[in-house]
C-alpha cells in the first residue's frame, strides 16, 4: 500500500504511461480448492478525493484502462445535466437503469419498454444488439415462452435508452448514436474529460460490447471522476445536481443497476446506499462514497469479475463502509464460497493472505 497525500492526478508523459503499463500489480485475491490456493489474481487500485489526492493505492493506478461499464454513472451525467431526464419525466428507476448492466429480469425489460415510446422510439432504435437475459430464471422463462430476446434484454439497454433520450433532447439524429463522432458520444467524451481531469482527444479507444466507444483513461483518473460525483461541490451547479440525482437514483433503486442476485445490487442494499458501486467487464470496478467524498476504481489484470468483487469488498472494509461485524453477515458476497454442481463446498474466493491495501 502507498499513501500519497500530496499527489495530484494529471496528464502523464509518454514515458510515464509506458512505465505504468509495465508495473506488475500485487496479488490481491486468491482462490482456494481444498487446502491449497489454486489461483491468484493481481489487482491495481486507486481511492481518490475530489481534489485529486490519492488516499489509498495499490499497484499501477496510473495504468491506462478501459473503464467499460463501470463508468456508466459518469456517462449518464449528460442525460441529467442537459435537462433531458427532467423534460421526459424520467423516474429514479429509469435513471438508475441508465447506469445499469442489468440481468434482463422482468422489471428491467419492462422499464425499458415503457420508456422508449415516451421519447418516440421503440426497441428497433436501440443499437446495442440482443442477447438472452443473464438472470437464469428469466432466461429459462423467455426460452419456454418461445420468444426471441430483443435489444431490451441487453444488459446495456437502459444506458442506450438514455442515449436516445439525450439525442432527442439535443435535436440530433438518433441513428448512429453509438458512433464516436455522434454528438451524444462527443458530449459524453467532454464530461469524461472534465470529470477525470484529462484531455482525451488522443486517448486509446475501441468499441465496447454494446457498440459504443471505449476510451483509455488512467485508473486513478477514473477514480477522480467518481470522486467528483461523490463530492461535486467544486463543479458547476448543473453538474452538482446531476451527480446527486444519479447517485440518489442508484441508492433508491439498486435492483435496477444490476439484479436480484448481483454483487452491485446486494452491496448497495446492504450498505443502505452509502456505497454506490458499479461493475464493468474485464475486471473493472468503480464506486462513489458520498459521505467520505471519495471515489475508487480498480482493475484486475486477468479480467476476472470474481476477483474484482472481492477486492471491492475489501476497499469498502478499508474505508469503514463495511464494519468487521457487518463483514461477517456479508461473507457470502465479499469472501464467497465455491461449490461444485452437486452443492458440495469446494473452496473460496478471498483476499490474499498479505493483502496489499
Amino acid at each position: 500500500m502507498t499513501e500519497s497525500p500530496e499527489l495530484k492526478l494529471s496528464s502523464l508523459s509518454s514515458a510515464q504511461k509506458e512505465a505504468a503499463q509495465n508495473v506488475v500489480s500485487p496479488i490481491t485475491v486468491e482462490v482456494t480448492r481444498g487446502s491449497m490456493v489454486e489461483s491468484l489474481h493481481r489487482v491495481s487500485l486507486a481511492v481518490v478525493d475530489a481534489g485529486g489526492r490519492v488516499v489509498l493505492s495499490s499497484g499501477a493506478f496510473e495504468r491506462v484502462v478501459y473503464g467499460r461499464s463501470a463508468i456508466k454513472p459518469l456517462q449518464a451525467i449528460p442525460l441529467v445535466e442537459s435537462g433531458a431526464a427532467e423534460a421526459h419525466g424520467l423516474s429514479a428507476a429509469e435513471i438508475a437503469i441508465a447506469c445499469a448492466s442489468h440481468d434482463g429480469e422482468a422489471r428491467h425489460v419492462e422499464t425499458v419498454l415503457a420508456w422508449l415510446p415516451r421519447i418516440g422510439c421503440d426497441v428497433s432504435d436501440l443499437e446495442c444488439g440482443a442477447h438472452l437475459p443473464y438472470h437464469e430464471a428469466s432466461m429459462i422463462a423467455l426460452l419456454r415462452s418461445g420468444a426471441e430476446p430483443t435489444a431490451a434484454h441487453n444488459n446495456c439497454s437502459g444506458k442506450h435508452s438514455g442515449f436516445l433520450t439525450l439525442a432527442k433532447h439535443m435535436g440530433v439524429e438518433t441513428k448512429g448514436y453509438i458512433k464516436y463522432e455522434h454528438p451524444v458520444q462527443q458530449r459524453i467524451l467532454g464530461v469524461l474529460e472534465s470529470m477525470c481531469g484529462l484531455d482525451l482527444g488522443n486517448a486509446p479507444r475501441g468499441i465496447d460490447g454494446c457498440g459504443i466507444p471505449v476510451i483509455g483513461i488512467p485508473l486513478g483518473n477514473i477514480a477522480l471522476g467518481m470522486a467528483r460525483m461523490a463530492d461535486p461541490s467544486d463543479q458547476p451547479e448543473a453538474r452538482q445536481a446531476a451527480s446527486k440525482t444519479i447517485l440518489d437514483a442508484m441508492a433508491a433503486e439498486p435492483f435496477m443497476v444490476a439484479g436480484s442476485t448481483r454483487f452491485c445490487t446486494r452491496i448497495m442494499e446492504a450498505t443502505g446506499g452509502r456505497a454506490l458501486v458499479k461493475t464493468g467487464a474485464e475486471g473493472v470496478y468503480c464506486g462513489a462514497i458520498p459521505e467520505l467524498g471519495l471515489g475508487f476504481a480498480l482493475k484486475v489484470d486477468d479480467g476476472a469479475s470474481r476477483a474484482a468483487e472481492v477486492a471491492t469488498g475489501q476497499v469498502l472494509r478499508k474505508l469503514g463502509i463495511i464494519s468487521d461485524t457487518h463483514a461477517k453477515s456479508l461473507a457470502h458476497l465479499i469472501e464467497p464460497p465455491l461449490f461444485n454442481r452437486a452443492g458440495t463446498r469446494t473452496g473460496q474466493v478471498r483476499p490474499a493472505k498479505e493483502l496489499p491495501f
Side-chain angles (χ1 to χ4, degrees):
M1 180 187 78
T2 60
E3 295 190 33
S4 308
E6 302 302 322
L7 183 61
K8 296 289 183 180
L9 297 172
S10 60
S11 296
L12 300 174
S13 68
S14 296
Q16 287 173 316
K17 288 179 180 178
E18 184 176 353
Q21 297 301 102
N22 293 324
V23 170
V24 177
S25 305
I27 294 170
T28 304
V29 177
E30 58 190 27
V31 184
T32 68
R33 182 175 295 271
S35 61
M36 190 178 82
V37 173
E38 185 176 34
S39 298
L40 300 168
H41 298 287
R42 296 181 179 275
V43 183
S44 293
L45 159 75
V47 181
V48 180
D49 70 16
R53 185 172 68 99
V54 180
V55 300
L56 181 67
S57 67
S58 179
F61 66 86
E62 300 97 343
R63 178 176 293 162
V64 177
V65 304
Y66 289 133
R68 304 298 297 268
S69 289
I71 63 169
K72 283 179 180 176
L74 291 167
Q75 294 171 324
I77 287 174
L79 171 66
V80 180
E81 184 179 63
S82 68
E86 183 177 7
H88 292 277
L90 297 193
S91 65
E94 289 165 333
I95 292 171
I97 204 171
C99 303
S101 300
H102 66 74
D103 266 0
E105 295 181 62
R107 189 179 170 215
H108 296 134
V109 178
E110 290 164 1
T111 298
V112 169
L113 292 177
W115 176 356
L116 290 171
R118 299 205 322 268
I119 59 171
C121 293
D122 60 33
V123 174
S124 67
D125 293 300
L126 295 173
E127 297 181 0
C128 53
H131 63 68
L132 286 165
Y134 291 152
H135 183 251
E136 187 173 356
S138 299
M139 177 184 67
I140 292 170
L142 181 66
L143 293 172
R144 282 179 173 167
S145 74
E148 295 287 332
T150 72
H153 294 92
N154 187 299
N155 74 102
C156 296
S157 63
K159 176 180 71 174
H160 282 248
S161 296
F163 292 161
L164 285 169
T165 304
L166 179 58
K168 289 282 189 176
H169 189 71
M170 293 172 65
V172 299
E173 176 65 45
T174 57
K175 188 174 178 58
Y177 69 84
I178 62 173
K179 295 186 180 299
Y180 179 81
E181 299 80 10
H182 192 277
V184 164
Q185 297 303 327
Q186 286 297 299
R187 184 154 187 167
I188 291 168
L189 180 65
V191 168
L192 292 177
E193 288 183 327
S194 63
M195 293 295 279
C196 298
L198 288 173
D199 178 354
L200 298 174
N202 295 315
R205 72 176 192 254
I207 299 173
D208 212 333
C210 67
I212 71 165
V214 285
I215 310 298
I217 305 174
L219 193 65
N221 291 76
I222 295 175
L224 175 62
M226 298 305 296
R228 287 176 170 173
M229 288 197 78
D231 174 15
S233 56
D234 65 346
Q235 300 296 309
E237 287 187 9
R239 181 71 49 84
Q240 291 182 40
S243 296
K244 185 176 188 306
T245 295
I246 291 165
L247 295 185
D248 284 352
M250 293 174 68
E253 296 281 359
F255 169 80
M256 301 306 293
V257 178
S260 58
T261 64
R262 294 274 299 285
F263 183 89
C264 290
T265 291
R266 296 170 76 183
I267 284 293
M268 289 190 285
E269 289 173 343
T271 62
R274 295 174 67 204
L276 290 317
V277 298
K278 182 68 190 69
T279 187
E282 297 300 326
V284 183
Y285 235 98
C286 290
I289 317 294
E291 68 185 66
L292 301 179
L294 298 176
F296 75 84
L298 61 84
K299 163 70 175 172
V300 182
D301 283 3
D302 63 9
S305 59
R306 66 181 182 181
E309 292 175 354
V310 169
T312 294
Q314 292 308 303
V315 171
L316 298 179
R317 291 195 68 180
K318 185 74 175 181
L319 297 177
I321 300 300
I322 296 176
S323 67
D324 289 343
T325 300
H326 204 186
K328 293 178 181 178
S329 64
L330 294 175
H332 60 294
L333 292 177
I334 63 176
E335 297 185 20
L338 298 175
F339 299 91
N340 66 14
R341 295 295 184 184
T344 302
R345 179 166 173 160
T346 59
Q348 185 179 32
V349 188
R350 68 188 187 191
K353 290 296 185 183
E354 296 183 5
L355 190 67
F357 57 83

